[in-house]
Amino acid sequence: MVLASIKDVAIAAGVSTSTVSRIINENPAISAETREKVLKIMKELDYVPNSMARALSNQRAFTVTLAINADDVKSFNNPFFYEVMHGIEKVVYQKDLCLIIANMQTFIKKESILTWLINGKRTQGIILPSSLATEKNIKELNKHHFPFVVFGEPDCPDPLNWVDVNNRQGGQQAVEHLVRQGYRKIAFISGSRKELFNKNRYRGYLDGLERNGLAFREEFAAEGGNTKADGLAMMSRLLAREDRPDAVICTDNILSLGILKAIQTAGLSVPKDVGIVSFDNFPIADLADPPLTTVDVDVYELGVQTAQMLFKMIENPLSRQQQTLIATEIQARESTKRV
Amino acid sequence: MVLASIKDVAIAAGVSTSTVSRIINENPAISAETREKVLKIMKELDYVPNSMARALSNQRAFTVTLAINADDVKSFNNPFFYEVMHGIEKVVYQKDLCLIIANMQTFIKKESILTWLINGKRTQGIILPSSLATEKNIKELNKHHFPFVVFGEPDCPDPLNWVDVNNRQGGQQAVEHLVRQGYRKIAFISGSRKELFNKNRYRGYLDGLERNGLAFREEFAAEGGNTKADGLAMMSRLLAREDRPDAVICTDNILSLGILKAIQTAGLSVPKDVGIVSFDNFPIADLADPPLTTVDVDVYELGVQTAQMLFKMIENPLSRQQQTLIATEIQARESTKRV
DNA sequence: ATAATGAATGCAACCGGTACCAGTATTGTT
DNA sequence: AACAATACTGGTACCGGTTGCATTCATTAT
């Protein structure tokens, strides 16, 4: 079965292709009568405008691209990405565009995929995870004045368009939640604070201590790796202290599992002896024993807002750089339920 | 900066656009001398052929589509999908096409997204997860003789093109691994066996018993829900038996956590008293306590093969329906280390 | 009655490639 | 030397839309 073209529709309706085109594009110059007639024919012929012809004529591809990072295949075992993608996808299709997925590691005929996408006019805008907001990529995008938005705060000097969850706020909320539950000696365990999100969570932790009149203690702020073993080691060290903490904020769900193990090994109990708040409300947070209180981030919303920002850039390329922070919320579970 | 077109290249090189086009398409009719000259100009002008024009002229979109399921946003908290996508993406870009992501729940101007994509000539082929291989979708795809492939064995009567991991083989391997480790009274715990993958894993379990001369015992095959609580309940019931199993095969990582809990609660130990093999080698399998032996499925490879099958269908639309099963492998960890 | 105004529609060029057909130059054959 | 075959390249119509300008026709102003 051959698909109908605008010409077929025009002939069947006894009008010119211009008229059909105007109806497709909702041009008000067309009389209601003609419009109805043509719309009926379009329905009958199952007509959908040829997107490639439209794109060529309009000089825009009707697509935006979500960049992915090959390195993340394993690390993105985290559910994060899928939900962001879903939020993005939602907004993109509302605008009648397609969403393209592109791995930035890819080379096509020796071109970087960025060049291939941009110069080949395959796409109108790009969304990057912060891990891909590298100097090289940014330079290339700026060279073409190409609209792009980053999700996750990028760790780079240039002011970019980005959307992130408010990690700093989250850190503060974690402290406040623990204080409300009666904990006072609150430790902070994270991976490297050179990672911006850890740094921000740490800042929030400091904010929280200060706002609650709790003294900051250097030795309560542990910094290390990201594995369960790291969590176990760091927490064991903290628990070995005479004046051990009675609560801990942890930036990572996996680390938290190590922390739980350490507490259990030390013969202490959660939440009675030690409270835990983790970040990132992954499924394992709820499956842990006991279920973990977390700083919940609305990742779907992150995707939605990122896409919306991109469309702003596309529609108004001269608008200023902007940044958006999405509020976090405490998801209280057993691990801080001191009664 | 305005991007160069084929015309610009032709003028700069002092040849016709036909010649440039032939070079783009690696037509051998062009002399080496001319080719070099033109390629040099192309490089200088940073020329990449306009994909929309090419697509229009070639009558193909140079894209394939991966369908996603909105319902899975939460359930696909499982890392599965991301890796499949990555495998697909790899193959697609090797062929110089783009990968489009489309949520099948979407409607565009009251059209199903399938109609929109196909009739709008946005894409050349579609990959569906088995959950989206519904009668309605299949009918629509077949109506247009549109190339598509399913990943995950679809539970439907029509013979379709699909790729899946060999769940049945995996079930058998699980039994054999347990037998090798000295376990003999092997139970099987799963979600509903109406789900095809559970059914296949169950069949493999039966195969394994038979091949190892172990009697099948109805009461050792528990079937229920998919939550941690379900796992706990089913396993507790099994452990309460006089002749309790000394090992269990479980079709799901989450269920397994409940099973671990049940064993722990019963005062028994893994792997000494009870061995566990789970399916799906998710990160939590390794993080569990003790780490879980799993039937590992190569999900990336699933993506790769699915995409390859799709390209076969695109290149040769008349080829027969085909199915591919990808071998599974035991990933041995603590939970079956009886030594 | 005639010119001016405006609403509705058609004509044709164009977007940037592709590909068939034709034309020229070169080499080989007899 | 005449002709055929081959290698290479150019001209041009076409893919299916969009859009500025022209045209038609009805309506209103003079």
Side-chain angles (χ1 to χ4, degrees):
Chain A
M1 187 188 62
V2 175
L3 298 177
S5 75
I6 196 171
K7 211 167 170 180
D8 302 320
V9 175
I11 291 170
V15 298
S16 71
T17 58
S18 317
T19 299
V20 179
S21 172
R22 289 190 182 100
I23 289 165
I24 294 168
N25 295 289
E26 293 172 2
N27 184 319
I30 301 295
S31 71
E33 191 191 3
T34 310
R35 178 172 23 252
E36 292 317 314
K37 182 175 63 182
V38 174
L39 284 175
K40 189 157 151 280
I41 301 280
M42 282 170 43
K43 185 127 299 178
E44 277 171 28
L45 297 184
D46 232 349
Y47 171 72
V48 176
N50 182 312
S51 64
M52 304 172 301
R54 273 192 103 189
L56 177 59
S57 191
N58 278 320
Q59 295 284 39
R60 58 208 203 89
F62 293 100
T63 69
V64 299
T65 298
L66 170 59
I68 62 175
N69 192 338
D71 301 340
D72 292 339
V73 182
K74 286 293 174 190
S75 71
F76 259 126
N77 279 338
N78 90 43
F80 193 76
F81 191 86
Y82 190 81
E83 256 190 87
V84 176
M85 179 172 94
H86 190 72
I88 292 170
E89 169 263 315
K90 179 86 178 177
V91 175
V92 170
Y93 281 91
Q94 272 171 1
K95 299 245 173 191
D96 298 355
L97 306 207
C98 279
L99 178 63
I100 287 174
I101 296 292
N103 180 340
M104 297 306 270
Q105 311 273 99
T106 310
F107 279 77
I108 296 184
K109 316 211 170 191
K110 296 181 212 153
E111 304 270 14
S112 83
I113 194 167
L114 226 40
T115 306
W116 185 74
L117 288 167
I118 297 174
N119 291 21
K121 305 227 181 186
R122 277 175 181 76
T123 198
Q124 297 179 241
I126 291 189
I127 293 173
L128 302 166
S130 54
S131 61
L132 288 173
T134 60
E135 206 178 322
K136 182 167 152 296
N137 286 340
I138 307 267
K139 217 167 106 189
E140 173 139 24
L141 289 162
N142 282 334
K143 190 173 97 190
H144 295 276
H145 305 290
F146 198 78
F148 72 99
V149 173
V150 177
F151 67 88
E153 183 177 348
D155 196 2
C156 76
D158 319 298
L160 301 178
N161 295 292
W162 55 261
V163 181
D164 199 0
V165 293
N166 196 335
N167 284 307
R168 183 161 182 173
Q169 177 193 34
Q172 187 179 321
Q173 287 173 335
V175 174
E176 276 161 5
H177 175 76
L178 285 167
V179 169
R180 266 199 308 280
Q181 300 295 313
Y183 300 98
R184 287 294 177 275
K185 298 191 282 178
I186 302 170
F188 182 88
I189 293 183
S190 71
S192 167
R193 278 186 235 135
K194 286 192 179 126
E195 299 279 3
L196 199 50
F197 59 93
N198 282 336
K199 191 197 271 184
N200 284 331
R201 289 165 184 190
Y202 180 64
R203 283 189 189 134
Y205 164 68
L206 298 181
D207 294 346
L209 291 182
E210 189 177 337
R211 292 182 58 148
N212 287 277
L214 299 173
F216 166 65
R217 299 172 52 179
E218 184 73 45
E219 65 278 15
F220 271 17
E223 182 181 4
N226 279 310
T227 67
K228 187 176 170 185
D230 292 317
L232 194 148
M234 289 192 267
M235 191 63 188
S236 300
R237 225 169 297 131
L238 281 171
L239 290 179
R241 301 183 61 85
E242 192 109 341
D243 55 341
R244 62 167 178 76
D246 63 359
V248 55
I249 294 169
C250 170
T251 56
D252 184 284
N253 283 203
I254 311 288
L255 268 178
S256 299
L257 296 183
I259 291 174
L260 281 175
K261 182 87 178 171
I263 297 171
Q264 185 190 328
T265 306
L268 297 170
S269 96
V270 176
K272 196 168 68 66
D273 303 314
V274 186
I276 304 185
V277 178
S278 184
F279 270 82
D280 303 337
N281 189 16
F282 292 176
I284 42 172
D286 194 36
L287 293 168
D289 197 6
L292 294 169
T293 293
T294 57
V295 176
D296 186 34
V297 298
D298 190 341
V299 187
Y300 180 84
E301 182 65 18
L302 176 60
V304 168
Q305 297 226 17
T306 305
Q308 285 173 344
M309 189 182 280
L310 181 64
F311 281 112
K312 264 190 226 158
M313 303 312 298
I314 290 172
E315 282 152 25
N316 182 8
L318 299 175
S319 67
R320 323 190 153 192
Q321 306 284 344
Q322 50 186 288
Q323 290 82 37
T324 300
L325 285 175
I326 296 171
T328 54
E329 245 173 50
I330 293 289
Q331 170 77 48
R333 296 204 183 85
E334 297 300 316
S335 72
T336 54
K337 205 177 210 165
R338 219 180 194 178
V339 181
Chain B
M1 187 190 59
V2 175
L3 297 177
S5 75
I6 197 171
K7 210 168 174 180
D8 301 321
V9 174
I11 291 170
V15 297
S16 72
T17 58
S18 313
T19 299
V20 179
S21 173
R22 289 192 182 98
I23 290 166
I24 294 168
N25 294 290
E26 292 172 4
N27 184 319
I30 301 294
S31 70
E33 191 189 4
T34 309
R35 179 173 23 251
E36 292 317 314
K37 183 175 65 181
V38 174
L39 284 174
K40 190 158 151 278
I41 300 280
M42 280 169 45
K43 186 128 295 178
E44 278 171 27
L45 297 183
D46 233 347
Y47 172 72
V48 176
N50 182 312
S51 64
M52 304 171 302
R54 271 192 105 191
L56 178 58
S57 192
N58 278 319
Q59 295 285 38
R60 58 208 204 91
F62 294 99
T63 69
V64 298
T65 298
L66 170 59
I68 61 176
N69 192 338
D71 300 339
D72 291 339
V73 182
K74 287 292 175 190
S75 71
F76 259 124
N77 279 338
N78 93 43
F80 193 75
F81 191 85
Y82 190 80
E83 257 189 86
V84 176
M85 179 172 93
H86 190 69
I88 292 170
E89 170 263 312
K90 179 86 176 177
V91 175
V92 171
Y93 281 91
Q94 271 170 0
K95 298 245 175 193
D96 299 357
L97 307 207
C98 280
L99 179 63
I100 288 175
I101 296 292
N103 180 340
M104 298 304 272
Q105 310 273 99
T106 309
F107 278 77
I108 295 182
K109 314 209 171 192
K110 297 181 212 151
E111 303 271 12
S112 84
I113 193 165
L114 226 40
T115 306
W116 187 74
L117 287 168
I118 297 174
N119 291 22
K121 305 225 179 188
R122 277 174 180 77
T123 200
Q124 297 178 241
I126 291 189
I127 294 172
L128 302 166
S130 54
S131 61
L132 288 172
T134 60
E135 204 177 324
K136 182 167 153 293
N137 287 339
I138 307 267
K139 215 166 109 189
E140 174 137 24
L141 289 162
N142 282 335
K143 189 174 96 189
H144 295 276
H145 304 288
F146 198 76
F148 72 99
V149 174
V150 177
F151 68 89
E153 182 176 349
D155 196 2
C156 76
D158 319 297
L160 301 178
N161 294 292
W162 55 260
V163 182
D164 199 0
V165 293
N166 196 335
N167 284 307
R168 184 162 181 174
Q169 176 191 35
Q172 188 180 320
Q173 287 173 336
V175 174
E176 275 160 6
H177 174 77
L178 285 167
V179 169
R180 267 199 307 280
Q181 300 296 313
Y183 300 98
R184 287 295 176 276
K185 298 191 283 180
I186 303 171
F188 182 88
I189 294 183
S190 70
S192 167
R193 279 185 235 138
K194 287 193 179 125
E195 299 278 3
L196 199 49
F197 59 93
N198 282 335
K199 192 198 271 181
N200 285 330
R201 289 166 183 188
Y202 179 65
R203 284 190 189 133
Y205 163 69
L206 299 181
D207 294 347
L209 292 182
E210 188 178 337
R211 292 183 58 147
N212 287 278
L214 299 172
F216 165 66
R217 300 172 51 180
E218 184 74 42
E219 64 279 16
F220 271 17
E223 182 181 2
N226 280 309
T227 67
K228 188 177 171 184
D230 291 318
L232 194 147
M234 287 192 268
M235 191 62 187
S236 302
R237 226 169 297 132
L238 281 170
L239 291 178
R241 302 181 62 83
E242 193 112 337
D243 54 342
R244 63 166 177 77
D246 63 358
V248 54
I249 295 169
C250 169
T251 56
D252 183 285
N253 283 203
I254 311 289
L255 269 178
S256 299
L257 296 183
I259 292 175
L260 280 175
K261 182 86 178 173
I263 297 172
Q264 186 190 325
T265 306
L268 298 170
S269 98
V270 177
K272 196 167 69 66
D273 302 315
V274 185
I276 303 184
V277 179
S278 184
F279 269 82
D280 302 337
N281 189 15
F282 292 174
I284 42 172
D286 194 36
L287 294 167
D289 198 7
L292 295 169
T293 294
T294 57
V295 176
D296 187 34
V297 298
D298 191 341
V299 187
Y300 180 85
E301 183 63 19
L302 176 60
V304 167
Q305 298 227 19
T306 305
Q308 285 172 346
M309 189 181 282
L310 181 63
F311 281 111
K312 264 190 227 158
M313 302 313 297
I314 290 173
E315 281 152 25
N316 182 7
L318 299 175
S319 67
R320 323 191 154 191
Q321 307 284 343
Q322 51 186 286
Q323 290 83 37
T324 301
L325 285 174
I326 296 171
T328 54
E329 245 172 51
I330 293 289
Q331 170 77 48
R333 296 205 184 84
E334 296 300 314
S335 71
T336 54
K337 206 177 211 164
R338 216 179 198 178
V339 180

